[in-house]
Amino acid sequence: MSEKSLKPIIINNFLKNSFFKDLKNFIIESEFSWFQRKTMIVGTTDNLGYFTHSFYNNNQINCDAYFKYIIPILKKLNSKAVVEVRANLAPSCFLKKDACAFHVDYPYKCKTAILYLNTCDGGTEFKIKDKIHFVKSEENKIVIFNSDIKHRGTKSNNADFRYLINFNYFS
């Protein structure tokens, strides 16, 4: 495969502004439940973990908001089947380095989409054919890629937190 065909698809202003603001407010401004994970990548020690909220995992819906917020996004992504959907909250001070370790979300062929909920100078780096491609975290931007592409989150230096929703699905 060519490098170009492996590059992520980036869509700015992915959601209608009113829907995005409602979603962002629900996750960032309301009394949203966050659960700590001890590390960003299993087997690594370059970070102190992060917080997550599962909308869908292990073939089950874990949050009633899945119906209001997640299903419309999955439809827009042309998802045929869901693997996992979760919101992530990454405190900048939890990264011991400028980025966590490169990883793949799933070793099999499915899609990953990252919807950024806030703007900061952090983002996602992709390693494609030994070249690094950076996508900046900007609110209402989505980046879509094959789940077996190595990627990693990077530290924000101008915001205390990075908020995003991670979608893994079959298209």
Side-chain angles (χ1 to χ4, degrees), residues 92-159:
S92 299
C93 63
F94 278 27
L95 277 173
K96 296 177 183 177
K97 299 178 181 178
D98 288 335
C100 64
F102 279 104
H103 65 281
V104 297
D105 283 1
Y106 291 94
Y108 48 83
K109 292 285 183 191
C110 65
K111 292 287 188 185
T112 297
I114 300 170
L115 176 64
Y116 300 107
L117 299 177
N118 69 318
T119 298
C120 64
D121 63 352
T124 308
E125 287 184 337
F126 296 89
K127 190 173 190 177
I128 302 170
K129 296 196 175 209
D130 294 323
K131 290 184 182 175
I132 305 298
H133 304 271
F134 177 73
V135 177
K136 185 179 177 190
S137 182
E138 296 174 308
E139 70 174 36
N140 203 10
K141 177 194 285 184
I142 198 163
V143 57
I144 304 165
F145 55 98
N146 293 332
S147 63
D148 59 352
I149 292 177
K150 288 186 176 187
H151 62 285
R152 66 183 181 182
T154 66
K155 184 182 212 171
S156 172
N157 294 306
N158 67 353

